[in-house]
Amino acid sequence: QQLQPNDSRTLFFLGYSHELEGRFAEAIASYSEYRRRTLFDPMAKQLQARVSQLNVKLAELEVRRALREEKEMTLGQPKSNTLAVLYFRNVSERGEWNALLKGITYMLTTDLGQVQSIRLVERTKLETLMKEVALSSSSLYDRFTAPRAGKVLGAERVVVGGAIATGSSGIQLDAGVIQTSTSMSVVKPVRAVGRLSDVMQLEKQLAFSLIDQLGVALSESERESIQKLPTESTLAFVAFCRGLEFADSLNIPQAQAAFAEALRLDPNFKAAEQELTTLTTAVLPQQQFVALAASDPTASKNAQHLEAISNATQNWNASATPLIPPVQTGTIVVRGKIR
């Protein structure tokens, strides 16, 4: 990698080696970088599915270790600037809102993840914690205080929130940030109120308000990224939320149907497309995975290009005719000597 940092095949086998050794975080980083470079669709889809699987494995390892260390009273302090978004409480106890609030958590985690100065704990880790201790999103706060959940997730601070109905078609979202070490609120609570049909815009209001309360100065690109709605269709977003709920419950056929419905309502819904691709792409066995990487024309082209450069460099002779004619400077260059 040091000699040929732009070689895609190097990135792939580096990630593959990390995966075999159980270094899932390093494997994810290498595969993710390789994924950004490849234009080979089958490989891109396979990497997406594989990284998703490795994220789950990594989350399981970290959460189980944290729960064990908590029991042994050896759980250390989280890294600085780490933030986790917990599922919002369904204060109105409207069952049909559970999936919607899961979607809001997904959006808020994604938006706060656009801020370079904040280290976001992925939603996968939160969902893993819920599975490890057999919790539902509605029972999270019955068994875990927000600071305790934050410590197990490895977050210095946690975003907590709730949703309540306002009238027959309105919703009120409230959110705040708690320091896990002190259990104290570190920002002024924020609120967004509006129609249920405008729930995505309300989430954006919450995101910007929380960032402002945290005292984070956004760059123009960060602000633009956060401002983008995942979809213009509220119905597509609701279908997406149902897909998340089904996927987390391992009800894969219904999850696939829900994500497909979201894409039918909005073919440009990238998050729904990504989730559907992950669910419908089977992770290949190791031998087939390596064979697919070998057939990636993007990697092959890069390798051939690098090999051509290497050969040209090795075969070049300083006494031979220069590869690039010298600039006319009034002096005469003969065999590398100036006369």
Side-chain angles (χ1 to χ4, degrees), residues 87 90 94-106 123 137 237-246 248:
Y87 290 129
N90 191 350
R94 296 176 61 169
E96 69 273 18
W97 280 16
N98 289 336
L100 183 67
L101 295 182
K102 186 162 283 193
I104 290 175
T105 302
Y106 180 101
R123 194 187 71 91
S137 56
F237 179 67
V238 171
F240 175 77
C241 294
R242 288 201 304 269
L244 292 177
E245 183 82 342
F246 285 133
D248 290 340

Side-chain angles (χ1 to χ4, degrees), residues 85-91 101 104-105 108 141 146 158-164 172-178 190 206 210:
V85 181
L86 300 187
Y87 290 129
F88 277 41
R89 295 192 195 200
N90 191 350
V91 181
L101 295 182
I104 290 175
T105 302
L108 193 54
Y141 296 96
V158 290
V159 175
V160 295
I164 189 170
Q172 174 181 305
L173 299 176
D174 296 284
V177 181
I178 295 176
V190 298
L206 276 188
L210 286 171

Side-chain angles (χ1 to χ4, degrees), residues 118-169:
I118 298 177
R119 297 162 56 96
L120 249 291
V121 175
E122 292 192 12
R123 194 187 71 91
T124 303
K125 199 170 182 179
L126 172 59
E127 193 58 37
T128 300
L129 172 61
M130 310 285 281
K131 287 183 173 68
E132 285 294 318
V133 293
L135 294 175
S136 65
S137 56
S138 59
S139 63
L140 170 64
Y141 296 96
D142 296 332
R143 290 271 305 278
F144 275 77
T145 62
R148 181 190 171 198
K151 289 177 182 177
V152 172
L153 293 171
E156 182 185 40
R157 294 170 292 182
V158 290
V159 175
V160 295
I164 189 170
T166 57
S168 59
S169 59

Side-chain angles (χ1 to χ4, degrees), residues 42 85 92 111 130 157 182 193 213 239 264 272 281 289 296 318 320 335:
V85 181
S92 293
D111 286 343
M130 310 285 281
R157 294 170 292 182
T182 63
V193 184
Q213 287 291 323
R264 186 189 69 80
T281 304
F289 183 45
D296 185 346
R335 296 188 180 276

